[in-house]
Amino acid sequence: MSRYLVRERIAQHAKILPAIEVAPQPALPEVDRSFEMPRALYGAMVAAFLGFIGVLGIGLQSPGLVIPMAIFAFFIIAGFAVPAIWTRLAPDSGQKAMTVEQLMRRGIATHTGRCEGLDAAVQMLVLPVLILGWAIAIVIIAATV
């Protein structure tokens, strides 16, 4: 059907719209991508989770566990590396993560209210340390049985 349409005939019936003026875009809001907590606490979490994998890998040595343990370690590293890279991709917003000293001095605002620095660090590290302790307990139980 399109072969029967002539260009001139289409042009006669076409409606030409006026040009649309594009308004300038407003400035993007400033976004804090620092996650605010000190990097040392994230490093301690990674160390505890990798310690969990290491303790189980050494304590329960088996050729069949090499690949799963490597995969677990990869996911732990990726789970912390990807957000760390994401924080550096943002344009310079001026927001920096707190140092441990600043956290201990000022504390941090949470969804449920203000939290002292030491309390926030303990809350952040309780689960990773318990998981590491669980791995140590599993290896001790396996060694004694």
Side-chain angles (χ1 to χ4, degrees), residues 6-32:
V6 181
R7 183 178 288 248
E8 293 80 21
R9 192 170 182 192
I10 295 172
Q12 290 172 353
H13 296 290
K15 293 182 183 178
I16 310 257
L17 299 174
I20 299 173
E21 292 184 27
V22 178
Q25 294 291 327
L28 295 175
E30 193 171 302
V31 178
D32 180 12

Side-chain angles (χ1 to χ4, degrees), residues 2-145:
S2 64
R3 62 183 158 180
Y4 299 116
L5 295 176
V6 181
R7 183 178 288 248
E8 293 80 21
R9 192 170 182 192
I10 295 172
Q12 290 172 353
H13 296 290
K15 293 182 183 178
I16 310 257
L17 299 174
I20 299 173
E21 292 184 27
V22 178
Q25 294 291 327
L28 295 175
E30 193 171 302
V31 178
D32 180 12
R33 292 186 178 178
S34 68
F35 296 114
E36 212 171 339
M37 295 299 280
R39 291 182 182 143
L41 290 178
Y42 293 115
M45 287 178 70
V46 170
F49 288 134
L50 289 177
F52 164 76
I53 298 297
V55 166
L56 288 181
I58 292 170
L60 306 174
Q61 289 182 358
S62 170
L65 287 178
V66 172
I67 292 175
M69 291 297 180
I71 292 170
F72 295 150
F74 172 77
F75 278 118
I76 290 168
I77 292 168
F80 284 89
V82 169
I85 293 168
W86 183 70
T87 60
R88 292 185 180 98
L89 291 178
D92 189 25
S93 63
Q95 298 288 342
K96 300 276 185 198
M98 284 192 277
T99 63
V100 175
E101 179 182 302
Q102 290 172 334
L103 175 67
M104 295 304 164
R105 189 170 8 106
R106 292 189 301 187
I108 191 166
T110 64
H111 180 66
T112 57
R114 191 117 194 103
C115 194
E116 295 296 322
L118 183 60
D119 297 338
V122 168
Q123 285 180 10
M124 195 170 167
L125 294 175
V126 162
L127 185 63
V129 170
L130 286 175
I131 290 172
L132 178 60
W134 178 62
I136 292 169
I138 293 296
V139 169
I140 291 172
I141 291 168
T144 58
V145 172

